Amino acid sequence: MKNELILILDFGGQYNQLIARRVRECNVYSEVVPYDISIEKIKQKNPKGIIFTGGPASVYGEGSPKCAKEIFELGVPILGICYGMQLMTHILGGTVARANKREYGTIDVSIDNSSPLLQGFEKTNGFLMSHTDYVETVPKGFKNIGFTESCPNAAIQNTEKQLYGIQFHPEVNHSMNGLQVIKNFLFNICNCTGDWIIASFAQESIQKLKEKIGDKKALCALSGGVDSSVAAVLLSKAIGKNLTCIFVDHGLLRKNEGDEVEEIFRNQFDINLIRVNAKDRFLEKLAGISDPETKRKIIGEEFIRVFEEEAKKIGTVDFLVQGTIYPDVIESGLGKSSVIKSHHNVGGLPDYVDFKEIVEPLRDLFKDEVRKTGLELGIPENLVYRQPFPGPGLAIRIIGDITDDKLNILKDADSIFREEIAKAGLHKNINQYFAVLTNLKSVGVMGDERTYDYTIALRAVETTDFMTGVWSKIPYEILEKVSSRIVNEVKHVNRVVYDITSKPPATIEWE
């Protein structure tokens, strides 16, 4: 089903896999590969087109990532984005310079809409810029097709060699109609047909897992969330009863969630399930720990230790399956990208893991693609659209150290928030919403008495890809009801605040 392929060369930017997602959104299969991939491998993959991503480096910096010049002689259309455009310019004989004024944010770009890359746009369009260097002079054979007040060459092209460069980021939501730029590259320039669908991913993944695992046994880390559930069903369809799912209830789940997970997978799916109640063990390890990265690593290591112990009980297990998805990977800074935070099932793993291999079948998918795959596999909609929940659970929604009392406070407050959002019918419009127990205490008055209790922060974000997002404009009357209920029904809380920060600059989670 991968008749068409777009290769995306990763130069270290944070939006790299988002480009891949946008390409797949257009029903064209894409793969992200290292920037130094060999020309021979590129020829073997036979791509219809190549995209150079952005990145934080300067083309003149020592050790800055560069690709082979021969890539431009393959006859394959290439689109360079941000650093990718600067690198293309630098290698082909143009000049790149340091800008006097850095451009960041949505900037009006004047464009030549007769270009096959920019067809369908007005003469001026708002695109997200994020750069310090810029193309000062274009290489021989190129012409200018876009500029801003501060950037004389915001877009360039060499139609004869099918080489294009843009200084802006069309892949992010901040760019107006940015997806159209990618569509133009795919269909006007690369002549793709767009016949790849997510069903292909599910079918191919099942086949690959059958071939990889064969008659060996696999152990799946099941949390009951969307990612691990889809991973579990993929494995179940591939290897049947050779899969055992271990649900580690670390006590850091949402209110009543442990029982709900057990109910769903025992009664709705014919999957071997072992539930391990390990709350005391995790809380003991986390006692007195406030640093979020330390929390993640402790939880990641304990997860593995629990799996090792359970694996010994059930016999030889060759593979550990995890529901890692790409936002987890990119934020953990694996590969060429910068670190934002580690995830327990990515960077938080201990050095020694007592399994033959870790299998992560969803590692290259974004959340919406995981959901589509889940529906394709026949997983009930109510589970597929369940609220995203981090692997470390409430441990990273409690700022500071973790105690059983704090857990109970947060579980109750979070339950009220989720209940009221559902009652208001907003649960499908808001992509992620939850409560955070801050480490802040403040003075309040309840009855006629002075209180000195915790502050709960509410967070709600709307996003399509979880790489960027905007805070949700929840109606005031709903926020008022949530606040009133939390303060009145949850002991030791006397203040509720609402987080109105988008991503970026903030992340969706607080820690």
Side-chain angles (χ1 to χ4, degrees):
M1 293 296 292
K2 296 177 185 175
N3 299 323
E4 299 177 325
L5 167 66
I6 297 295
L7 273 189
I8 298 166
L9 267 59
D10 180 355
F11 287 96
Q14 290 298 336
Y15 300 136
N16 297 349
Q17 191 71 12
L18 183 51
I19 299 170
R21 182 196 171 282
R22 295 299 186 220
V23 172
R24 293 199 296 259
E25 199 173 273
C26 299
N27 295 329
V28 178
Y29 185 73
S30 60
E31 288 182 8
V32 178
V33 296
Y35 64 84
D36 54 1
I37 182 174
S38 69
I39 296 298
E40 290 71 25
K41 285 188 177 179
I42 292 176
K43 288 179 179 177
Q44 288 171 12
K45 289 180 177 291
N46 191 30
K48 295 276 286 186
I50 298 171
I51 299 177
F52 291 0
T53 73
S58 167
V59 294
Y60 298 116
E62 186 177 347
S64 61
K66 292 182 174 64
C67 60
K69 187 175 182 179
E70 290 79 7
I71 197 170
F72 300 105
E73 304 302 325
L74 294 175
V76 178
I78 298 176
L79 171 63
I81 297 175
C82 197
Y83 177 84
M85 170 190 177
Q86 296 165 12
L87 181 64
M88 180 188 297
T89 298
H90 178 64
I91 291 176
L92 296 178
T95 59
V96 176
R98 179 75 56 166
N100 293 325
K101 178 184 176 184
R102 181 186 179 194
E103 285 185 310
Y104 182 80
T106 303
I107 307 292
D108 283 339
V109 182
S110 298
I111 55 179
D112 177 359
N113 55 15
S114 68
S115 164
L117 186 67
L118 300 173
Q119 285 178 7
F121 286 91
E122 299 295 328
K123 289 288 187 180
T124 301
N125 197 81
F127 292 110
L128 179 77
M129 291 278 207
S130 177
H131 68 101
T132 302
D133 290 355
Y134 74 100
V135 171
E136 186 175 46
T137 59
V138 302
K140 184 179 179 180
F142 281 76
K143 64 172 283 191
N144 178 290
I145 54 171
F147 63 90
T148 72
E149 288 184 5
S150 304
C151 184
N153 293 297
I156 60 175
Q157 70 178 19
N158 180 332
T159 53
E160 182 183 350
K161 291 196 172 184
Q162 294 184 296
L163 304 177
Y164 297 81
I166 50 179
Q167 187 58 67
F168 50 84
H169 289 272
E171 69 273 18
V172 299
N173 291 332
H174 298 74
S175 290
M176 293 176 59
N177 302 317
L179 185 61
Q180 186 61 45
V181 177
I182 294 174
K183 286 181 177 178
N184 286 345
F185 179 68
L186 297 177
F187 303 116
N188 293 351
I189 297 165
C190 300
N191 296 315
C192 293
T193 57
D195 60 357
W196 183 80
I197 56 174
I198 200 68
S200 309
F201 172 83
Q203 294 158 9
E204 289 178 3
S205 294
I206 291 169
Q207 186 58 39
K208 282 182 180 178
L209 289 166
K210 282 180 180 178
E211 294 170 1
K212 183 181 186 72
I213 298 174
D215 59 356
K216 296 184 174 67
K217 295 188 181 298
L219 196 59
C220 180
L222 180 64
S223 69
V226 179
D227 306 334
S228 65
S229 297
V230 173
V233 175
L234 268 175
L235 264 293
S236 178
K237 288 183 179 292
I239 64 172
K241 289 299 184 178
N242 282 335
L243 170 70
T244 299
C245 290
I246 294 184
F247 167 41
V248 177
D249 186 352
H250 47 28
L252 304 169
L253 298 171
R254 292 169 286 207
K255 190 172 184 178
N256 300 325
E257 197 159 45
D259 294 338
E260 292 170 3
V261 169
E262 185 172 11
E263 174 73 15
I264 288 171
F265 280 88
R266 286 206 193 281
N267 294 340
Q268 294 189 31
F269 298 97
D270 186 23
I271 292 176
N272 296 329
L273 176 68
I274 297 171
R275 179 177 179 179
V276 183
N277 293 304
K279 176 182 175 182
D280 293 342
R281 175 173 175 169
F282 277 84
L283 287 183
E284 183 179 342
K285 290 283 186 179
L286 290 166
I289 303 298
S290 297
D291 177 67
E293 285 301 288
T294 306
K295 290 179 187 176
R296 280 187 169 86
K297 291 189 184 298
I298 287 172
I299 291 168
E301 180 152 356
E302 282 307 296
F303 256 93
I304 299 302
R305 298 286 83 83
V306 170
F307 278 115
E308 286 175 341
E309 292 169 13
E310 293 302 322
K312 289 172 184 174
K313 294 177 185 177
I314 63 176
T316 303
V317 174
D318 300 279
F319 296 91
L320 173 65
V321 183
Q322 292 188 325
T324 309
I325 66 172
Y326 200 78
D328 300 338
V329 176
I330 197 72
E331 291 191 339
S332 297
L334 298 193
K336 311 286 183 184
S337 303
S338 302
V339 175
I340 299 175
K341 61 187 178 184
S342 70
H343 289 256
H344 86 283
N345 52 350
V346 185
L349 288 172
D351 294 332
Y352 174 74
V353 180
D354 192 18
F355 300 94
K356 177 180 177 182
E357 191 174 341
I358 292 176
V359 177
E360 297 171 314
L362 309 177
R363 188 181 177 88
D364 293 325
L365 297 190
F366 284 81
K367 183 69 74 173
D368 63 317
E369 294 177 322
V370 174
R371 294 190 199 281
K372 288 176 184 176
T373 302
L375 293 174
E376 186 69 30
L377 292 169
I379 299 175
E381 186 174 317
N382 65 326
L383 178 55
V384 169
Y385 285 96
R386 192 173 192 167
Q387 271 285 296
F389 194 59
L394 299 181
I396 58 168
R397 292 180 181 173
I398 295 175
I399 311 302
D401 66 322
I402 301 166
T403 67
D404 202 15
D405 288 341
K406 286 183 178 180
L407 269 174
N408 290 330
I409 291 170
L410 182 54
K411 285 180 180 182
D412 289 342
D414 183 71
S415 177
I416 289 170
F417 186 31
R418 290 187 293 119
E419 182 182 324
E420 292 300 331
I421 291 295
K423 280 183 182 177
L426 298 176
H427 55 293
K428 282 195 174 181
N429 300 326
I430 305 173
N431 303 99
Q432 192 161 356
Y433 50 95
F434 54 89
V436 175
L437 179 60
T438 72
N439 207 21
L440 174 68
K441 284 189 172 184
S442 62
V443 175
V445 178
M446 299 187 76
D448 292 323
E449 295 183 3
R450 175 187 182 277
T451 61
Y452 190 67
D453 282 325
Y454 287 108
T455 299
I456 286 284
L458 305 178
R459 180 75 161 140
V461 176
E462 295 174 21
T463 176
T464 57
D465 47 52
F466 289 84
M467 297 297 288
T468 62
V470 296
W471 62 278
S472 182
K473 313 311 189 276
I474 297 174
Y476 290 150
E477 58 268 23
I478 297 172
L479 289 173
E480 182 178 29
K481 187 171 184 181
V482 172
S483 174
S484 177
R485 282 195 60 191
I486 289 175
V487 170
N488 282 287
E489 297 176 30
V490 183
K491 292 181 179 179
H492 305 299
V493 175
N494 66 0
R495 193 178 297 269
V496 177
V497 299
Y498 187 47
D499 182 349
I500 58 169
T501 319
S502 293
K503 175 184 181 178
T507 54
I508 294 177
E509 297 287 345
W510 273 40
E511 287 193 337

